[in-house]
Structure formats: structure tokens, C-alpha cells
Amino acid sequence: MPGPGISYVKASLETMYGTAACNWNLTDNGTMELHITIPPNTTGEAILPAAKLEGLLESGGLALKAEGITGIEACEDGVKVALGSGSYIFSYAL
């Protein structure tokens, strides 16, 4: 979650399967954008802080119907997604 003065973070890790990566940025209009990459032949989980299931988008479409998302549920910190291999772009209003 962004804190005072932080509006962008980028991180990656080289694994034995390929690069796992995540970056997020907070836009000027208050939208959170998260880019997540899960390496081939692996799965991952991510918590999207302060997100709500309603209005959560993945690559411009509803996340609830997005290909590659194997699970999605509200949690205490926002929304938890289970992801298959691939690249995902989540966006939602804060």
C-alpha cells in the first residue's frame, strides 16, 4: 500500500522457472495499477491492498472473469487472487 511520498514500486526475482515480477503505481486520479508476472509452469498468489471485488479490473475487463485467475476472494486486506503463469495488469480505485 502506498505511503506518504511513495507512488511507485518495482521488484523482480530470477527463479529457476524465470522472472517473477510485480510493480505498482498510484496514478494522479487515485487508481492503483499492479503489474504481476508469474513464470511459466508455476502459480502464485497476490493480495491487492484495499481492493474490492466490485470494480476490480484485469487488463481492462472484470477480474472475476479474467483468464488465468484460478481463485479470487475478498480478504481482510483487500482481494486475494490465485494466478496461473502469465502477466496480469490489475487496476482499481482507492
Side-chain angles (χ1 to χ4, degrees), residues 26-32 93-94:
L26 183 59
T27 66
D28 290 339
N29 67 357
T31 299
M32 175 69 89
L94 287 179

Side-chain angles (χ1 to χ4, degrees), residues 16-17 20 72:
M16 61 191 288
Y17 297 99
I72 186 168

